[in-house]
Amino acid sequence: MEQKTHRCESDKQDLNNRLKKIEGQVRGLQKMIEDDRYCIDVLVQISAVTAGLKRVGFQLMESHTQHCVADAIKSGDGEDSIEELMRVIKQFSKS
Amino acid sequence: MEQKTHRCESDKQDLNNRLKKIEGQVRGLQKMIEDDRYCIDVLVQISAVTAGLKRVGFQLMESHTQHCVADAIKSGDGEDSIEELMRVIKQFSKS
Amino acid sequence: MEQKTHRCESDKQDLNNRLKKIEGQVRGLQKMIEDDRYCIDVLVQISAVTAGLKRVGFQLMESHTQHCVADAIKSGDGEDSIEELMRVIKQFSKS
Amino acid sequence: MEQKTHRCESDKQDLNNRLKKIEGQVRGLQKMIEDDRYCIDVLVQISAVTAGLKRVGFQLMESHTQHCVADAIKSGDGEDSIEELMRVIKQFSKS
């Protein structure tokens, strides 16, 4: 069975608002390409979108650590949970 | 007057196909949040989307260097063009 | 009073062996510059040294989370400890 | 035969001064480990050293582009030189 994370409604709303903004920015990038906008301007905008996505990731990572990882530690099986977190942090830092 | 970059149709098509795929992945992320999918799975997917965006950036950067920067160098004013490129590379590597 | 982290001798030894290797690589970079070695070769080597330093950082981050952060969580004040960890993860991912 | 890059004395001096400073910082990290300094303080310092190394890399990359790549472009074989540069930029951004 698939593992789930229960998120409160306000967190879900906040994360999805940010993701909707990012979706709009990715559509904006397509328009920039169609309009032959200057490469450097497109690259600056790609950096902004990437940074926005990473901020969503860090927000999720923090709340995962405050809730899921902290709960695992309290119930005595934090080790696996921390290893899993570290793996995703490393992957994240290379993307 | 705004600076423009003329891109050939096949390049524009290719870049926009990648960006459309990324737009779909960002919508997929919203669905993952709504469905309470496990944080680590969402984070792995965010890494994949970020990496995809960076690949679009690198493709653009390479073609910008092969065309715009190379033309500037040939006509004797490459220095500014290279400085501008380096600035965006640095910004990119921090995003 | 300054905060301290008690590390076991084998961890200290392992971290310092890696750092000594990195110190040697940084000296090797100076020799490459003196010997007029090709820029791209120097850049590849700088990437290797940076990646090595980051690996030391991740090792430290994991053991910090397994020990200091886990202890803080168990004694009920994990929140600050996790915020501090997240700040350093963000800074790390931009360096 | 190995490829070489001729650098002027002032550039070599500048690069090696920065690398000597970085070598000293790596020795400082070893002392921090021996002295049981707090993990987060060590991690902040590792970030600083990594950022310093990347700055040396960007300086080298800029001068490589201003000289070697520009010369290759002027003599009509810029394509390979730019591909090689892009490969190292990508590797750099993942380290």
Side-chain angles (χ1 to χ4, degrees):
Chain A
M1 213 201 68
E2 199 190 8
Q3 203 169 348
K4 291 269 182 180
T5 299
H6 184 71
R7 295 184 184 86
C8 67
E9 280 312 308
S10 72
D11 277 2
K12 283 164 85 156
Q13 197 66 53
D14 180 39
L15 286 164
N16 272 350
N17 286 345
R18 285 158 174 261
L19 287 169
K20 254 169 216 146
K21 194 187 149 197
I22 289 167
E23 187 194 332
Q25 287 175 315
V26 176
R27 263 196 305 274
L29 284 170
Q30 295 165 44
K31 177 120 182 42
M32 288 180 95
I33 297 294
E34 270 156 34
D35 292 352
D36 283 329
R37 292 283 299 279
Y38 185 47
C39 299
I40 295 290
D41 295 338
V42 184
L43 285 166
V44 167
Q45 186 57 14
I46 291 180
S47 281
V49 183
T50 310
L53 259 174
K54 289 217 159 173
R55 275 194 299 275
V56 173
F58 285 128
Q59 188 186 341
L60 212 57
M61 209 183 272
E62 179 155 6
S63 101
H64 174 67
T65 313
Q66 295 281 14
H67 301 108
C68 315
V69 180
D71 289 349
I73 288 168
K74 280 176 204 153
S75 48
D77 38 44
E79 206 162 318
D80 288 357
S81 190
I82 291 169
E83 266 176 36
E84 185 187 55
L85 176 68
M86 288 307 302
R87 261 200 308 279
V88 92
I89 289 172
K90 284 178 205 170
Q91 188 177 341
F92 215 71
S93 92
K94 283 185 188 181
S95 72
Chain B
M1 212 201 67
E2 199 190 9
Q3 204 170 345
K4 291 270 182 178
T5 299
H6 184 72
R7 295 183 184 86
C8 66
E9 279 313 308
S10 71
D11 277 3
K12 284 165 83 156
Q13 197 66 53
D14 179 39
L15 286 163
N16 272 349
N17 285 345
R18 286 159 174 261
L19 287 168
K20 253 170 217 145
K21 193 187 151 199
I22 288 167
E23 187 194 332
Q25 287 175 315
V26 176
R27 262 197 305 274
L29 284 170
Q30 295 166 45
K31 178 122 182 40
M32 288 180 94
I33 297 294
E34 270 156 33
D35 292 352
D36 282 329
R37 292 281 300 277
Y38 185 47
C39 299
I40 295 289
D41 295 338
V42 183
L43 285 166
V44 167
Q45 185 58 13
I46 291 180
S47 281
V49 182
T50 310
L53 260 173
K54 289 218 159 174
R55 273 194 300 274
V56 173
F58 285 128
Q59 187 187 342
L60 213 56
M61 209 183 272
E62 178 154 8
S63 101
H64 174 67
T65 312
Q66 296 280 14
H67 301 107
C68 314
V69 180
D71 289 349
I73 288 168
K74 281 176 203 152
S75 49
D77 37 45
E79 206 161 319
D80 288 356
S81 190
I82 291 169
E83 266 176 37
E84 187 186 54
L85 176 68
M86 288 308 301
R87 261 200 308 279
V88 92
I89 289 172
K90 284 178 206 171
Q91 189 177 339
F92 215 72
S93 90
K94 283 184 188 181
S95 72
Chain C
M1 213 202 69
E2 202 191 6
Q3 205 170 345
K4 290 270 180 178
T5 299
H6 185 72
R7 296 182 184 87
C8 65
E9 280 312 308
S10 72
D11 277 4
K12 284 164 84 157
Q13 196 66 52
D14 179 39
L15 287 164
N16 273 350
N17 286 344
R18 285 158 175 260
L19 288 168
K20 253 168 218 147
K21 192 187 151 198
I22 289 167
E23 187 194 331
Q25 287 175 314
V26 176
R27 260 196 306 272
L29 285 169
Q30 295 166 44
K31 177 123 181 41
M32 289 180 94
I33 297 295
E34 270 155 34
D35 292 352
D36 282 328
R37 293 282 299 277
Y38 186 47
C39 299
I40 295 289
D41 296 339
V42 183
L43 285 166
V44 167
Q45 185 58 12
I46 291 180
S47 282
V49 182
T50 310
L53 260 173
K54 290 217 159 174
R55 275 194 300 273
V56 173
F58 286 128
Q59 188 186 343
L60 212 56
M61 210 184 272
E62 178 153 8
S63 100
H64 174 66
T65 311
Q66 296 280 15
H67 301 108
C68 314
V69 180
D71 289 349
I73 287 168
K74 281 175 204 154
S75 49
D77 38 45
E79 206 161 318
D80 288 356
S81 189
I82 291 169
E83 266 175 37
E84 187 187 54
L85 175 68
M86 289 307 301
R87 261 201 309 278
V88 93
I89 289 172
K90 284 178 205 171
Q91 189 177 338
F92 215 73
S93 90
K94 283 185 187 179
S95 71
Chain D
M1 211 202 68
E2 198 191 10
Q3 204 169 345
K4 290 270 181 177
T5 299
H6 183 73
R7 295 183 184 86
C8 66
E9 280 312 309
S10 72
D11 277 3
K12 283 165 83 157
Q13 195 68 51
D14 180 38
L15 287 164
N16 272 349
N17 286 344
R18 286 158 174 261
L19 287 168
K20 254 170 217 147
K21 194 186 149 197
I22 289 167
E23 187 194 332
Q25 287 175 315
V26 176
R27 262 196 304 273
L29 285 169
Q30 296 165 45
K31 176 120 183 43
M32 288 180 94
I33 297 295
E34 269 156 34
D35 292 352
D36 283 328
R37 292 283 299 277
Y38 185 47
C39 299
I40 295 289
D41 295 339
V42 183
L43 285 166
V44 167
Q45 185 57 14
I46 291 180
S47 281
V49 182
T50 310
L53 259 174
K54 290 218 160 173
R55 274 195 300 275
V56 173
F58 286 129
Q59 188 187 342
L60 213 57
M61 211 184 270
E62 178 154 8
S63 103
H64 175 67
T65 313
Q66 296 281 14
H67 301 109
C68 314
V69 180
D71 289 349
I73 288 168
K74 280 176 204 154
S75 48
D77 38 45
E79 206 160 318
D80 288 356
S81 189
I82 291 169
E83 266 175 38
E84 185 187 56
L85 175 69
M86 288 307 302
R87 261 199 309 278
V88 91
I89 289 172
K90 284 178 206 170
Q91 189 177 341
F92 215 72
S93 91
K94 282 184 190 181
S95 73

